[in-house]
Amino acid sequence: MMGRKDRQDSLFVYNVNLDKRIRSDHPLRHVDEAVDFSFVRDEVAGFYGVKGNESVDPEVIMRMMFLLFFDNVSSERKLMRIIPERLDYMWFLGYGLDDDIPDHSVLSKARKRWG
């Protein structure tokens, strides 16, 4: 079953708004404005069932794959270790400070599933 990640712009627990923490001229902000990653949901919808566990949102997976190339991260494991340390990555992916980051295997499983 294909999951969908709802963006969390402000974190009530810490009174931190990641949108305000990322500078207006940040390169990822420009990418976010220029590219609509939601297209991937329609492209991969046929690869997901209607029963079972809910997946990580395909848009988030595509954004993670983009980060691998954008910042020349050497591995999926390294990316997953970096994400919780980078507010810009968290903002770009729509995660909050307390959100769990998926396992690195999510990316390889998506690549295998999507082709």
Side-chain angles (χ1 to χ4, degrees):
M1 179 166 49
M2 181 169 46
R4 183 177 195 110
K5 173 79 174 126
D6 293 325
R7 288 188 75 119
Q8 182 179 359
D9 290 328
S10 62
L11 304 173
F12 301 107
V13 177
Y14 301 105
N15 294 325
V16 174
N17 184 331
L18 289 180
D19 192 52
K20 291 182 181 178
R21 303 288 302 168
I22 308 304
R23 68 182 194 270
S24 62
D25 63 341
H26 192 286
L28 286 177
R29 190 176 287 278
H30 295 301
V31 170
D32 189 60
E33 292 169 0
V35 180
D36 180 9
F37 286 94
S38 67
F39 78 91
V40 74
R41 284 193 198 97
D42 292 334
E43 295 292 324
V44 301
F47 298 105
Y48 290 87
V50 293
K51 296 181 180 180
N53 295 329
E54 192 173 284
S55 74
V56 174
D57 185 341
E59 180 179 346
V60 173
I61 294 171
M62 184 60 74
R63 286 172 177 266
M64 287 178 181
M65 289 179 180
F66 175 81
L67 288 174
L68 281 169
F69 297 104
F70 184 75
D71 273 346
N72 198 25
V73 179
S74 59
S75 74
E76 294 165 352
R77 289 176 189 262
K78 184 174 181 181
L79 176 67
M80 296 311 189
R81 284 194 311 267
I82 293 171
I83 288 172
E85 300 170 353
R86 301 265 314 251
L87 291 181
D88 56 344
Y89 281 13
M90 299 285 282
W91 171 84
F92 183 69
L93 297 171
Y95 284 112
L97 295 178
D98 286 333
D99 289 342
D100 292 328
I101 305 303
D103 187 75
H104 67 89
S105 65
V106 165
L107 295 176
S108 56
K109 288 177 184 175
R111 249 194 327 280
K112 182 186 268 189
R113 174 176 284 181
W114 299 351

